[in-house]
Amino acid sequence: MDISGRHEESGEYLMVAAAVYASVGTTRLRNVEGMGFATSRNPPTFENAANVVADAVAELPDPPEGPVVAERGEFYEEPEIKVEQFLGPDFKYVESIAERKTVQAAHYAAYAARKLFL
């Protein structure tokens, strides 16, 4: 998952979270099973970021079979257990090349969706 838009623009915030449900190999994405999106106009605090991500994950066509994966910066480098308490499903920070590529796909999706809303 990834969030685009943590910065203030014209006195407002628009965070767009994208959750990508994908099957992966050790070094690549094999197949994207679905995407979920959510938006928030709240300031980018840990709690608001976790809530918009939870909403995006809830929009996936099927619940993820594995953990939600993100870069450390998405949740202000908070411990995984704290993030998991907010999200509900299992959570972890990126560890493998395939996970990093999945997060990169979510980044492109969140960025593009945010551009459409502006």
Side-chain angles (χ1 to χ4, degrees):
M1 60 71 35
D2 189 77
I3 300 172
S4 181
R6 292 175 182 268
H7 51 279
E8 188 177 352
E9 257 183 59
S10 302
E12 296 182 338
Y13 292 99
L14 175 59
M15 289 191 295
V16 177
V20 174
Y21 181 23
S23 57
V24 298
T26 55
T27 61
R28 66 183 179 91
L29 287 172
R30 289 198 174 144
N31 190 35
V32 173
E33 307 290 337
M35 292 184 169
F37 294 90
T39 63
S40 172
R41 293 200 175 270
N42 295 318
T45 64
F46 169 79
E47 291 80 8
N48 290 338
N51 286 332
V52 74
V53 168
D55 291 346
V57 171
E59 290 297 317
L60 290 170
D62 294 307
E65 293 174 12
V68 173
V69 180
E71 295 284 351
R72 287 198 169 273
E74 292 299 340
F75 296 105
Y76 308 97
E77 299 190 27
E78 292 287 349
E80 291 175 346
I81 190 72
K82 182 176 179 182
V83 177
E84 200 170 84
Q85 290 171 348
F86 273 84
L87 295 183
D90 291 339
F91 174 81
K92 71 177 194 168
Y93 288 116
V94 170
E95 294 175 357
S96 72
I97 294 169
E99 289 170 350
R100 187 166 309 283
K101 289 186 177 185
T102 305
V103 169
Q104 186 176 25
H107 170 77
Y108 292 136
Y111 181 80
R114 185 171 184 277
K115 285 294 208 184
L116 290 172
F117 286 120
L118 294 177

